[in-house]
Amino acid sequence: MQTALEAVDLSGLTLSWVDVALRMLLAMLIGAVIGTEREYTHRPAGMRTHMLVALGACAVMITSQLIFCQYRAYGAAPDPARLSAQVITGMGFLGAGTIIKAGHTIKGLTTAAGIWATACLGIAVGGGYYIVAVTGALGMLTTLVIFEWIQRRLMINHYALFHFYVNCAKVAVTLDAISRLAEEADAVITSVHVEEKRDGFKIDFKADFSGRHSNDRVRRFLAELSEDESTSSANFERSRF
C-alpha cells in the first residue's frame, strides 16, 4: 500500500543545475540592486553585503528543497521550511550590526530592516517563487527611494538636522558657547568631533533643531556662534535625517 507521501507527485520539486544557477543569479541580482541604493545613500551595508545575504538565503532554501527531494525516497519527510525559518531569525545579528546610536538619535534601522527583507526575498527566489521575489524587490526599491522623498517632503519642518563646521582658537570656550547657545535655541547637539589644526581647532558637530521655526532658530544660532570672540569661522549644511 502506498503511503500518502508516495501517492503525491513531487517530481516538480526536482532541481537541475540550470534551475539552481538561475535562482542564485537572480538572488544576487536582487541583492545587488537593493544594495546599490543603500551604497548610493552611504549606508553601513552596501551592494556586496546585500548580495551575500540574498545569495546565502537562496542557497539555504535550495538546500532545503534538495534535502527534501533526496530523503523522501527513504520514507523521511523533512520540513523544507525549517532551514529558511532559521535564516529569517538569524538575520537579526547582522541587522543589529548596522544600527548605530549617536547621541539622542538611532541610525541604521532602515538598513537593518532592508537586510532582513533581502534575506526573505532570497528565500523566495530559492523556493522558485520568482513573482514574489521580483514584486518584493520592486516594493523595497519603491519604499527606499520614492517613499524617502515623500517622507522628506512631509517631514521637512519636523526633522531639522544640521552639520556645523567651526574653527576656533580656544576649544573649551567654544564648546561652552555651543552648549549654551544650543540650549537657548532648544537644539540637541550630537556627534561632536574636535580636530587640532596648525592655527587652532576645528569642531564638527550635528545639531537637531526639530520643531517650529527651525530655520530661524538655526540662523540665530549660527549668527550668535559666529560673533563669539573665540570663533574664527562657522558654517553649516543641512544633513540627512
Side-chain angles (χ1 to χ4, degrees), residues 96-114:
T98 66
I99 300 174
I100 303 172
K101 186 176 186 301
H104 298 275
T105 62
I106 297 177
K107 301 178 181 179
L109 290 173
T110 301
T111 299

Side-chain angles (χ1 to χ4, degrees), residues 102-235:
H104 298 275
T105 62
I106 297 177
K107 301 178 181 179
L109 290 173
T110 301
T111 299
I115 291 175
W116 182 84
T118 301
C120 295
L121 296 182
I123 292 173
V125 175
Y129 303 107
Y130 303 125
I131 299 298
V132 174
V134 173
T135 304
L138 292 176
M140 282 189 65
L141 290 175
T142 301
T143 302
L144 293 173
V145 179
I146 297 178
F147 278 88
E148 182 183 12
W149 179 83
I150 294 175
Q151 182 183 26
R152 284 178 173 275
R153 299 298 298 176
L154 291 176
M155 308 299 287
I156 190 170
N157 293 322
H158 182 73
Y159 291 101
L161 185 62
F162 296 87
H163 198 159
F164 286 83
Y165 310 91
V166 179
N167 293 307
C168 64
K170 300 178 181 179
V171 64
V173 175
T174 303
L175 287 175
D176 287 341
I178 291 172
S179 178
R180 174 177 53 80
L181 294 174
E183 184 176 357
E184 294 176 358
D186 194 20
V188 178
I189 303 296
T190 62
S191 306
V192 180
H193 176 71
V194 179
E195 181 181 356
E196 187 174 1
K197 296 291 187 179
R198 182 176 302 177
D199 55 346
F201 298 89
K202 179 181 179 182
I203 304 176
D204 294 351
F205 64 93
K206 291 184 179 180
D208 186 358
F209 286 83
S210 299
R212 294 184 176 181
H213 311 295
S214 59
N215 291 331
D216 294 337
R217 286 157 52 210
V218 71
R219 281 195 292 265
R220 185 170 63 252
F221 174 84
L222 180 64
E224 294 180 358
L225 181 60
S226 300
E227 293 174 358
D228 188 82
E229 59 180 11
S230 65
T231 302
S232 55
S233 66
N235 54 73

Side-chain angles (χ1 to χ4, degrees), residues 5 10 63-78:
L5 182 62
L10 300 175
T63 302
S64 298
Q65 190 169 330
L66 292 175
I67 290 174
F68 178 78
C69 293
Q70 178 180 355
Y71 287 96
R72 69 183 177 85
Y74 301 98

